[in-house]
Amino acid sequence: MRRTRWRRTLAAGAATVALALLAGCGGAPAGPPVLNWYINPDDGGQAEIAQRCSAASNGQYQIAVSVLPRQSAEQRQQLIRRLAANDSSIDIMSIDPPYIPEFAEAKFLAPVPEEVARRTTAGIVNSAKEGASWNGELVTVPFWANTQLLWYRKSQVAGTGLDLSKPVTWDQVVQTAQAKNSIIAAQGIRAESLTVWLNALVEGGGGQIVTNASPQNPEGVQLGLDSPAATKAAEIMKAVSAVGGPGFSTNSEDENSNAFQSGDAMFQVNWPFVWGKVNSAVEEGTVPQSTPDDFGWALYPQTEAGRPSAPPYGGINLGVGAFSRHTDLAYQATECITSTENQKEYFLTNGNPAARISVFTDPDVVQKFPMAPVIAQSLQQAKPRPQTAYYSEVSESIQRTYHPTAGIDPPTVGPATAALIKAVLAKEELL
């Protein structure tokens, strides 16, 4: 999901240097095994971790990084195609959690050793453990976890009577924005973020988009889009679109961050990257210090009053390729990559929250990210997107039928979406 974007330096250069160093001279003696780690684009943090873990291995292995495309769907496609050809050069992969069931069902992931599973899940937030698993079994190693908060402008909320020190509902947030003639910045664009939003609302109402994953039989997949929770979710999406501003149907995380930072929106639901973005703007002199000082944060709004919200869960988990020639070393490397020290450093330098709960109370982390305790609580409550081997079909169907949210009919959009998903899985409909 959403990664840091306000700095554009990627790890490609570091990857190229690492590979050149590892190649050496043609006549030189063979060095330690090279583990190829395919990473999502970031601000260079994974490449730095690769260098540290290579050094810490004392010559057991070297890690070379290769950067995947920016969009998670394209990352999935590239990895799936290579693994389908039994590519042995894929040792470690940074995988977006929704695609993990598909990788596991296809037998593209080397089994996680029992001791590795025990060590790498100790002290990990609930959502990261759930998102790293399939059919009750850990199939990947949690690396970093992400979630959305409800961000608000303190000056605009003051005097409205909305108490954000306590859980609030989406209905309350909408009513407050309407009363102030202001905007709620949410992801109304036809993209993966729309599925993320719907899933959080449905789960927050006690429902599920997929109620039976049926991995061996796509026509047996059962859906919960005709439930009261799904209807309520659609009602919220439609209501928010009415106070989402004129560009709501095309607004992504970046547009919403800009609207909130400028003060046009009094609320936004977004990932923690917005905090790093506004502070970078202060350092650059493009916004005053008073802007981040006016930022407030709270838990994701509740779908139903009194029922804990189920915030979005994102992040990255590490999979070891089933065809790797060095699976034992690869799992040793994943333990180094996901160590508490590396998770903390990655949070501080790249802005991507840790999966390990202890990181959120570290004084250095709290100083830089004062909302760290709220992020930790959110990750404990967060729920993964539908865990199914057919996630792409489910998500793309949702994006078709729920967009634009201003035009949906709450009682019928869920059943219509379920019918489309079933038709796609039965190969009766194309997306």
Side-chain angles (χ1 to χ4, degrees):
M1 288 306 298
R2 183 57 171 84
R3 319 293 184 243
T4 48
R5 293 186 182 178
W6 67 94
R7 299 190 302 269
R8 296 294 180 182
T9 302
L10 303 180
T16 303
V17 172
L19 288 170
L21 290 174
L22 291 169
C25 300
V34 176
L35 303 178
N36 296 305
W37 179 14
Y38 287 80
I39 64 172
N40 59 293
D42 64 3
D43 288 330
Q46 289 170 100
E48 291 173 6
I49 291 173
Q51 291 177 0
R52 287 198 296 270
C53 288
S54 295
S57 77
N58 295 318
Q60 286 188 288
Y61 57 77
Q62 289 285 325
I63 303 175
V65 299
S66 296
V67 184
L68 294 164
R70 177 162 294 281
Q71 297 300 320
S72 62
E74 295 176 10
Q75 296 166 19
R76 164 201 168 267
Q77 185 178 57
Q78 185 174 124
L79 290 172
I80 287 287
R81 284 178 173 176
R82 296 184 63 171
L83 289 165
N86 294 2
D87 191 338
S88 62
S89 73
I90 299 178
D91 298 300
I92 305 170
M93 300 165 277
S94 292
I95 307 177
D96 211 358
Y99 302 116
I100 288 172
E102 180 182 11
F103 280 68
E105 275 299 313
K107 310 298 183 187
F108 290 158
L109 301 174
V112 183
E114 185 176 340
E115 285 301 299
V116 173
R118 180 183 61 79
R119 289 191 294 265
T120 57
T121 56
I124 297 297
V125 294
N126 295 331
S127 54
K129 283 189 283 190
E130 188 175 353
S133 303
W134 174 238
N135 284 339
E137 180 182 359
L138 191 79
V139 293
T140 56
V141 173
F143 177 25
W144 63 274
N146 210 356
T147 190
Q148 291 186 10
L149 304 181
L150 173 65
W151 302 82
Y152 60 93
R153 296 300 291 257
K154 298 174 186 176
S155 58
Q156 296 189 45
V157 171
T160 63
L162 186 66
D163 184 359
L164 285 156
S165 67
K166 301 175 182 178
V168 297
T169 65
W170 276 98
D171 291 340
Q172 289 176 296
V173 174
V174 170
Q175 290 164 9
T176 302
Q178 288 172 331
K180 292 282 287 186
N181 195 29
S182 191
I183 289 173
I184 301 173
Q187 284 67 257
I189 189 172
R190 182 175 173 175
E192 176 63 20
S193 54
L194 196 66
T195 304
V196 170
W197 187 19
L198 175 65
N199 186 67
L201 295 174
V202 173
E203 292 275 357
Q208 289 182 304
I209 291 176
V210 175
T211 57
N212 183 345
S214 185
Q216 303 301 323
N217 177 21
E219 295 186 41
V221 170
Q222 295 178 12
L223 303 156
L225 287 167
D226 59 352
S227 66
T231 301
K232 177 62 177 178
E235 291 172 353
I236 291 171
M237 295 175 85
K238 190 177 182 73
V240 172
S241 68
V243 290
F248 186 79
S249 65
T250 58
N251 283 353
S252 67
E253 292 95 332
D254 282 323
E255 284 80 18
N256 289 331
S257 173
N258 292 337
F260 184 75
Q261 187 170 299
S262 69
D264 292 339
M266 68 184 299
F267 296 107
Q268 72 167 331
V269 282
N270 219 328
W271 310 92
F273 84 94
V274 301
W275 184 246
K277 183 177 179 178
V278 70
N279 281 285
S280 291
V282 171
E283 293 174 4
E284 294 163 1
T286 55
V287 303
Q289 181 60 48
S290 58
T291 299
D293 290 346
D294 197 37
F295 277 30
W297 46 83
L299 280 174
Y300 200 79
Q302 296 177 345
T303 302
E304 295 282 357
R307 181 188 288 274
S309 62
Y313 157 72
I316 288 292
N317 294 324
L318 301 182
V320 170
F323 312 107
S324 166
R325 299 186 181 93
H326 310 290
T327 55
D328 290 346
L329 289 176
Y331 272 116
Q332 286 184 38
T334 65
E335 290 197 70
C336 176
I337 292 167
T338 62
S339 68
T340 301
E341 178 184 359
N342 281 331
Q343 289 195 28
K344 171 188 170 180
E345 188 67 17
Y346 196 52
F347 194 0
L348 290 173
T349 58
N350 280 236
N352 294 323
R356 198 173 301 278
I357 195 74
S358 63
V359 173
F360 294 94
T361 57
D362 186 281
D364 295 335
V365 170
V366 175
Q367 181 178 10
K368 188 166 185 177
F369 297 95
M371 71 293 303
V374 181
I375 296 174
Q377 184 179 351
S378 182
L379 285 169
Q380 292 286 50
Q381 292 181 203
K383 291 292 183 182
R385 278 158 279 172
Q387 289 188 296
T388 168
Y390 315 109
Y391 181 78
S392 294
E393 291 83 354
V394 171
S395 181
E396 290 175 25
S397 297
I398 288 169
Q399 293 170 43
R400 177 191 287 189
T401 54
Y402 279 82
H403 187 270
T405 53
I408 61 179
D409 178 46
T412 62
V413 66
T417 305
L420 174 60
I421 293 170
K422 297 286 283 186
V424 169
L425 294 178
K427 303 186 184 305
E428 297 169 355
E429 184 82 27
L430 292 175
L431 290 169

